[in-house]
Amino acid sequence: MPLPQEYQRASDQFYSFLTELRDLSNFGSSHQTYTMVQGVFQVFRKRLQVRDAIKFADALPAILRAIFVSDWDTEQPIEPFCDLFEMNAEVKQLRAEHNFSTDTAIQDVGNVLKKYVDEEKFTSVVRDLPIEAQQFWQWDK
C-alpha cells in the first residue's frame, strides 16, 4: 500500500493550520499558536471518556491528532464541562507564564480547525459525543 496522502502532506497541512490560526489570533509566532491549540485540546480531552477521545482524535489531521493525545494521563479523573468562559480561562493555564491564548481560544481553534478536517467525518464523530462535548465544537461563536 502506498503511503497515505494524509501522512505525505502532514507537515504542510499543519503549518498551514498554525499560520491561519496565528494570523486570526494576531500572534507573533507559531509557538504561541501551538500552545493555544495544545491547551484547547487538553481542556477538551480531560472531559471525555478515553474511548470518546480516541474517536475524536481519529477525526483530526495527523499532526493535530498527535498533539491531542500527547502527554495524556488517561488515569486522570474526568472533569465536567463548564461554561465557555471558564474553559477558555483554563486554556490559558498551560505554561501560563508563556501563554498568550486569546479569550476566545476554543472558538478560534474550532473555526480554523473546521477547514482542516473532513467535515462530514468530524461532524459525525462529534454528533456521537455527549451534548456538552458537541457544544464545545460549535463553530462561529
Side-chain angles (χ1 to χ4, degrees):
M1 175 178 179
L3 180 63
Q5 182 83 1
E6 172 185 24
Y7 299 120
Q8 289 181 35
R9 298 190 25 86
S11 293
D12 293 339
Q13 184 184 37
F14 178 62
Y15 186 72
S16 180
F17 168 82
L18 277 184
T19 300
E20 188 170 342
L21 184 56
R22 179 197 69 201
D23 293 348
L24 172 73
S25 304
N26 293 313
F27 288 157
S29 80
S30 297
H31 300 283
Q32 295 164 325
T33 311
Y34 174 83
T35 295
M36 184 166 77
V37 171
Q38 188 181 30
V40 168
F41 283 171
Q42 287 180 7
V43 164
F44 183 63
R45 79 174 184 212
K46 72 189 210 176
R47 290 170 165 82
L48 296 177
Q49 298 287 336
V50 172
R51 69 178 176 278
D52 288 336
I54 295 300
K55 287 178 190 175
F56 176 82
D58 194 43
L60 297 174
I63 295 177
L64 292 173
R65 183 181 319 131
I67 293 167
F68 185 82
V69 300
S70 68
D71 302 320
W72 186 8
D73 177 2
T74 58
E75 300 299 318
Q76 182 180 22
I78 296 171
E79 294 187 19
F81 282 90
C82 50
D83 72 47
L84 202 52
F85 178 80
E86 290 176 72
M87 289 187 293
N88 272 316
E90 190 178 328
V91 169
K92 295 180 176 192
Q93 296 309 305
L94 177 66
R95 293 187 293 282
E97 302 83 32
H98 306 287
N99 189 322
F100 298 94
S101 294
T102 63
D103 292 337
T104 55
I106 294 167
Q107 300 94 310
D108 295 344
V109 170
N111 283 318
V112 175
L113 182 63
K114 72 179 176 181
K115 300 175 187 178
Y116 291 87
V117 296
D118 174 326
E119 195 162 355
E120 186 175 315
K121 180 179 181 179
F122 188 85
T123 301
S124 176
V125 167
V126 170
R127 192 179 312 124
D128 289 339
L129 297 175
I131 190 69
E132 297 90 352
Q134 294 175 35
Q135 292 168 346
F136 190 96
W137 294 109
Q138 287 181 350
W139 298 315
D140 297 319
K141 290 188 177 184

